Amino acid sequence: MAVAPQERVLQAFGEAVGTLIDDFDLIDALHRLCARGVELLDVTAVGIMLAGPRGDLQVLAASDERTGLLELFGLQSEEGPCAESYRTGEALVNAGLAAPDAIAHYPVFAERARQAGYATAHALPLRLRQRSIGAIGMLHAGPHTLDSSGVQLGRTLADVATIAVLQQHTIEQGNVERAQVQAALVSRTVIEQAKGVLAERWATGVDEAFDALRGYARRHGERLADVARGIIDGTLDTEALR
């Protein structure tokens, strides 16, 4: 029996909230949230970007780990719907990547996204009170319209992502504790390096490498970043992940 849309939403947020109750793996939780976003919003890809200490956006999680998709979201550190949504604090939806406005505002991103097979982009800010700390971006392979209910659902996804990022973080005078944010970004970098090591040693794709990392971390109750560090420094036998 097919699951009703309302039930799918409840399942997604029940899962998301469940990851935040106790100690949790931030990167893994956001990866799952992105994957759920693809399903609930009927888009091709979802990515979550977080502002670093200098205010530059960096990719923290995506609905899949293909290098091309991560690089495409990474292009939005300076230009693109995510960058604009982060700067303005406003939603930017239904942006046709072949439209003159998109080409004028995001020439590099729009061209690269079209080359990768995407036609439409959406972005919503991660909001903390009156300031943005990042953005959630959505890409679709064809024409795609995010209506008012879709925008509201996207905002809810963004709010859950914000809560996840800020979980156990100290907020002082309206600013996110920079050391905590930087630690999350460093974890993402370490995971990327470990994925590369596994993909090269196993002659496989980065998606498969990431799945192996996640599987091992879950089976052993460890954080993704800790498993990744073990691979990089050689203290963890990569064959143990197969």
Side-chain angles (χ1 to χ4, degrees):
M1 181 180 295
V3 179
Q6 296 89 341
E7 292 182 28
R8 290 163 57 201
V9 172
L10 288 173
Q11 288 175 358
F13 292 111
E15 177 183 275
V17 171
T19 65
L20 305 180
I21 293 174
D22 298 312
D23 193 23
F24 71 104
D25 189 321
L26 177 62
I27 305 297
D28 186 51
L30 294 181
H31 175 83
R32 280 188 280 175
L33 189 65
C34 288
R36 283 293 197 172
V38 167
E39 175 188 350
L40 295 172
L41 295 170
D42 191 29
V43 292
T44 307
V46 175
I48 293 174
M49 306 187 71
L50 185 66
R54 297 184 182 87
D56 54 322
L57 286 180
Q58 298 181 45
V59 181
L60 203 55
S63 50
D64 71 58
E65 293 289 310
R66 287 179 291 125
T67 300
L69 180 60
L70 294 174
E71 289 178 346
L72 190 55
F73 277 116
L75 275 178
Q76 299 191 70
S77 60
E78 295 182 1
E79 71 159 49
C82 283
E84 183 172 342
S85 183
Y86 163 65
R87 286 195 299 266
T88 64
E90 301 293 333
L92 194 159
V93 298
N94 307 326
L97 295 173
D101 283 351
I103 294 172
H105 284 92
Y106 332 117
V108 177
F109 170 76
E111 180 179 0
R112 289 282 296 276
R114 291 197 308 273
Q115 289 174 351
Y118 298 106
T120 311
H122 316 284
L124 299 130
L126 304 187
R127 299 285 292 164
L128 172 62
R129 297 171 186 169
Q130 300 303 312
R131 70 187 282 260
S132 299
I133 65 167
I136 182 169
M138 291 147 274
L139 296 168
H140 195 66
H144 187 271
T145 299
L146 209 60
D147 60 17
S148 58
S149 61
V151 171
Q152 184 57 51
L153 180 54
R155 289 187 190 280
T156 306
L157 284 171
D159 289 343
V160 173
T162 300
I163 292 169
V165 170
L166 298 178
Q167 177 80 336
Q168 299 177 346
H169 291 181
T170 301
I171 302 174
E172 298 177 352
Q173 298 178 347
N175 293 318
V176 178
E177 177 60 44
R178 292 179 182 271
Q180 296 287 348
V181 173
Q182 184 62 29
L185 295 174
V186 168
S187 293
R188 177 74 244 188
T189 300
V190 171
I191 291 167
E192 283 297 301
Q193 292 172 347
K195 279 167 46 185
V197 170
L198 291 178
E200 182 179 359
R201 290 183 183 176
W202 295 350
T204 189
V206 289
D207 273 344
E208 290 80 1
F210 185 70
D211 287 342
L213 274 172
R214 290 182 73 204
Y216 184 91
R218 288 183 177 185
R219 289 194 302 274
H220 293 81
E222 297 184 32
R223 292 178 181 271
L224 272 170
D226 292 337
V227 175
R229 289 188 184 92
I231 292 169
I232 293 169
D233 63 26
T235 59
L236 177 61
D237 183 1
T238 56
E239 291 304 308
L241 276 70
R242 281 189 180 273

